[in-house]
């Protein structure tokens, strides 16, 4: 038998603002919605944050319906939109997923087309950024057999974890399905996910009020630490 769970939802308010976001591959348009389409008389401020860092801020005058801007140069990931008034009071928040043109490109060239058992395999790997510039760094490569390790293309990947799962609360079903090229509905599905999934980075209202969360559980790791006791040993 199933379980019956009763959850009390907060009362609906007719006095709050809301943010409507529409995207194309190159443009993002943010509209400020007012209760019952009432005319605004106050100046508002919109801030966009990506992974805890502000990426844009703008002023929305009473006669402005919202803000439209180019997504050129924006990095991929969950972007937090914060709407405030002149008293730095948060009026509305909205999560938006941005698919930026910042994917790295990896090319692999093998020295042979076919290999025999225990043949040495020589591979040349070239990793470049979205602008075609080589990327420096330390990387690891895993080689698996399709018979032993079958990959579910909809399950978690490095990309889905870094850009999506690490920023949201709760379980996300088939996280990599939002990044598969054949999923033509990925953009609208991501937007629905942003509207329903929990957010776990920062409490913007508390931060703007100067109330910063403190981590008292673990000490700050400032570097390698050696500890012990020295003894003299006979020659």
């Amino acid at each position: 038998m199933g379980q019956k769970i009763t959850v009390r939802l907060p009362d609906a308010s007719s006095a709050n603002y809301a943010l409507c976001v529409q995207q194309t591959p190159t443009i993002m348009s943010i509209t400020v919605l007012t209760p019952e389409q009432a005319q605004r008389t106050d100046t508002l401020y919109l801030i966009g944050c990506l992974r805890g860092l502000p990426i844009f801020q703008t002023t929305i005058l009473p006669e402005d319906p919202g803000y439209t801007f180019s997504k050129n140069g924006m990095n991929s990931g969950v972007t937090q939109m914060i709407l405030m008034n002149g008293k730095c009071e948060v009026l509305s928040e909205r999560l938006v997923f941005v698919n930026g043109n910042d994917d790295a490109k990896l090319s692999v060239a093998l020295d042979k087309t076919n290999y025999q058992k225990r043949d040495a395999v020589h591979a040349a790997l070239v990793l470049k950024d979205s602008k075609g510039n080589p990327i420096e760094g330390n990387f690891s490569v895993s080689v698996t057999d399709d018979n032993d390790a079958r990959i579910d293309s909809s399950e978690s990947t490095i990309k889905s974890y870094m850009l999506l799962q690490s920023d949201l609360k709760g379980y996300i079903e088939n996280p990599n399905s939002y990044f598969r090229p054949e999923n033509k509905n990925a953009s609208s599905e991501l937007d629905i996910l942003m509207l329903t999934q929990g957010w776990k980075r920062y409490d913007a209202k508390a931060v703007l009020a100067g109330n910063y969360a403190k981590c008292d559980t673990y000490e700050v790791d400032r570097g390698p630490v050696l500890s012990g006791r020295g003894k003299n040993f006979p020659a």
Side-chain angles (χ1 to χ4, degrees), residues 46-57 69 73-82 94-96 98 167 199 201-204 207-208:
L46 182 66
I47 299 176
C49 299
L50 177 66
R51 289 185 278 276
L53 298 176
I55 57 175
F56 73 84
Q57 61 180 22
F69 59 96
M74 291 186 68
N75 291 327
S76 299
V78 178
T79 301
Q80 181 184 20
M81 303 292 180
I82 306 171
R94 174 74 148 79
L95 298 185
V96 180
V98 177
D167 268 340
W199 171 254
R201 276 195 176 268
Y202 306 104
D203 183 346
V207 171
L208 291 170

Side-chain angles (χ1 to χ4, degrees), residues 115-174:
Y115 294 90
Q116 302 298 322
K117 288 185 177 180
R118 299 187 180 278
D119 271 356
V121 179
H122 299 277
L125 285 75
V126 178
L127 184 63
K128 296 183 179 181
D129 62 19
S130 58
K131 298 180 181 179
N133 301 314
I135 299 176
E136 295 183 1
N138 297 318
F139 309 97
S140 62
V141 178
S142 298
V143 180
T144 61
D145 191 319
D146 287 343
N147 295 322
D148 298 327
R150 294 187 178 276
I151 300 175
D152 187 340
S153 59
S154 295
E155 285 302 314
S156 178
T157 64
I158 294 176
K159 181 175 181 178
S160 70
Y161 179 80
M162 296 297 293
L163 296 184
L164 188 64
Q165 295 166 268
S166 61
D167 268 340
L168 300 178
K169 286 182 179 179
Y171 172 73
I172 301 176
E173 186 176 1
N174 299 330

